[in-house]
Amino acid sequence: MVFAAREMTVNYQQLMAQLSDLGEAKGAAADDAIKNLKETHATSAGLKAFCTWMCLNIIDQCRQSLGGHGYSAYTGLSQAYSDFAVHCTWEGDNTILTLQCGRYLVATALEARKGQPLPANLAYLQGAVSKSGAVDTKPCVGTSATAVSALDTLKAAWSSVAANAIVSAVRDFEAGLAKGLSKDNAYEFSSASRLHAARMHTYTYLLHRFAAQVEQSPATLRPVLTLLAQLFGAHSAVQHSGEFLQSGFYTGAQVETLKTFVNDACAQVRKDAVPLTDAFGYTDYVVNSPLGRYDGDVYEKYFELVTSLNPQKPIPYFDSLIRPLLERTNESELGPELEFDQE
């Protein structure tokens, strides 16, 4: 997500410079600027929705992984979940933004059929925009974990899945037109498939951006970052294994091999989990949880936080009511005799 955010920031700055230099110009220059504007909006819309949904889910996974401590108000995760949930709605509702991204994908695929060039982040559609609607899927031929989980293989796998999802959305859109619907209503008719296509495309975009940054990273960091990128691509693929089986890229046996790789990769990444997390540079103030302290002094600080927020004060009714109950003995005074009616 960080790598994708950096690239989107650069794209936005370039777009603003292009629009600023455009002035009152028309023709090819204006058409190119509008094309870049559409691409930037669609990509950022898909990323905003996808990343906020994913982050909210990760916060909840972290909370559940900590057992009862995760639900304690003192650890900050419950508050973090409540605070972050609004990001899925403000600055553009996620469902609406995802549908806008899906609409752009359908429109771009249709334009590509007419010979229009594809933007760089949709180059994987090159073999999936034929008039017949068929997707040119080249299945994975390897069987070993190394072959199935290679970064280039995962990029091709996700490209195949995204292409299939987009072509499916195009078919639904055209089916709506065939029913006599207007263009806007045909887009509405294909909403479900557009939503799905946008999600698959965003997975693909993130993995490709991750891989591109890994190639540019220092040689000392490249092995661990490569493994992390592979783990993201493979774990996400296992979660959506049905999509890969449907596209024909992976077989059932290859998906099982991918699951084995994910388990092994988790064990390898675990030893680097702390430095990878610390690399984000979040301070204890920002994390706002004793369980995520930089120095690892978790339980002592947890206890200090609880005791500081619950100072001990004398209980006014302890001596008069509670102490006698605690210090009572089994010997008790006889109570008053009760009178019973005699028949």
Side-chain angles (χ1 to χ4, degrees):
M1 292 184 190
V2 173
F3 296 145
R6 289 176 179 174
E7 181 167 310
M8 281 305 305
T9 300
V10 173
N11 291 343
Y12 169 77
Q13 292 171 344
Q14 293 175 345
L15 175 63
M16 291 298 101
Q18 183 181 18
L19 293 175
S20 177
D21 295 338
L22 188 62
E24 300 295 328
K26 297 180 181 180
D31 292 340
D32 185 60
I34 293 174
K35 182 178 179 180
N36 291 337
L37 178 61
K38 290 180 179 179
E39 181 185 354
T40 302
H41 168 75
T43 304
S44 59
L47 284 171
K48 186 270 179 184
F50 182 93
C51 294
T52 51
W53 269 329
M54 178 173 280
C55 285
L56 187 65
N57 184 46
I58 290 174
I59 292 173
D60 192 49
Q61 289 181 18
C62 291
R63 180 175 63 173
Q64 294 184 46
S65 69
L66 294 172
H69 291 305
Y71 289 87
S72 169
Y74 299 106
T75 60
L77 285 171
S78 296
Q79 186 63 46
Y81 186 91
S82 299
D83 290 343
F84 193 85
V86 70
H87 290 282
C88 296
T89 300
W90 67 11
E91 298 300 331
D93 177 76
N94 280 2
T95 300
I96 301 301
L97 291 178
T98 306
L99 287 172
Q100 290 178 359
C101 179
R103 181 169 180 147
Y104 167 79
L105 296 174
V106 170
T108 303
L110 291 172
E111 289 177 0
R113 281 186 182 178
K114 301 175 183 178
Q116 294 295 322
L118 287 165
N121 63 339
L122 282 173
Y124 59 81
L125 275 177
Q126 195 65 51
V129 291
S130 62
K131 293 184 178 181
S132 65
V135 179
D136 184 18
T137 300
K138 298 179 180 179
C140 176
V141 295
T143 57
S144 66
T146 302
V148 171
S149 63
L151 195 51
D152 286 340
T153 303
L154 289 168
K155 288 167 58 180
W158 273 105
S159 296
S160 173
V161 165
N164 270 277
I166 294 171
V167 169
S168 177
V170 170
R171 290 196 191 109
D172 287 348
F173 172 73
E174 291 178 329
L177 293 177
K179 292 177 180 290
L181 300 177
S182 65
K183 183 177 180 180
D184 288 338
N185 287 335
Y187 274 120
E188 185 66 24
F189 179 78
S190 60
S191 291
S193 55
R194 281 193 293 132
L195 191 77
H196 178 67
R199 289 176 63 86
M200 295 300 101
H201 166 71
T202 307
Y203 266 117
T204 306
Y205 180 85
L206 285 171
L207 181 61
H208 279 70
R209 300 287 74 72
F210 200 162
Q213 291 296 318
V214 167
E215 293 174 359
Q216 301 173 22
S217 63
T220 54
L221 298 177
R222 201 168 299 155
V224 65
L225 290 179
T226 299
L227 181 61
L228 203 60
Q230 288 177 276
L231 182 56
F232 168 70
H235 177 259
S236 302
V238 169
Q239 286 184 314
H240 298 85
S241 57
E243 301 294 330
F244 294 84
L245 295 173
Q246 184 178 6
S247 72
F249 190 89
Y250 284 136
T251 64
Q254 289 171 329
V255 170
E256 288 300 319
T257 303
L258 210 57
K259 291 179 181 179
T260 302
F261 167 78
V262 169
N263 290 335
D264 294 339
C266 285
Q268 294 180 56
V269 169
R270 189 172 292 118
K271 66 178 183 297
D272 296 312
V274 172
L276 284 171
T277 304
D278 290 344
F280 286 97
Y282 293 127
T283 64
D284 290 342
Y285 177 81
V286 173
V287 174
N288 191 32
S289 173
L291 299 187
R293 287 184 58 85
Y294 180 80
D295 59 9
D297 191 11
V298 173
Y299 291 105
E300 291 81 358
K301 298 302 179 182
Y302 190 4
F303 183 75
E304 288 179 10
L305 178 63
V306 174
T307 53
S308 66
L309 295 178
N310 297 274
Q312 299 215 2
K313 299 177 181 179
I315 302 175
Y317 49 81
F318 182 82
D319 289 327
S320 61
L321 297 177
I322 298 179
R323 188 183 295 279
L325 292 175
L326 296 176
E327 297 178 352
R328 70 184 185 276
T329 63
N330 291 330
E331 298 179 0
S332 60
E333 298 179 359
L334 295 176
E337 294 184 1
L338 301 178
E339 296 180 1
F340 295 93
D341 294 335
Q342 302 292 330
E343 294 184 3

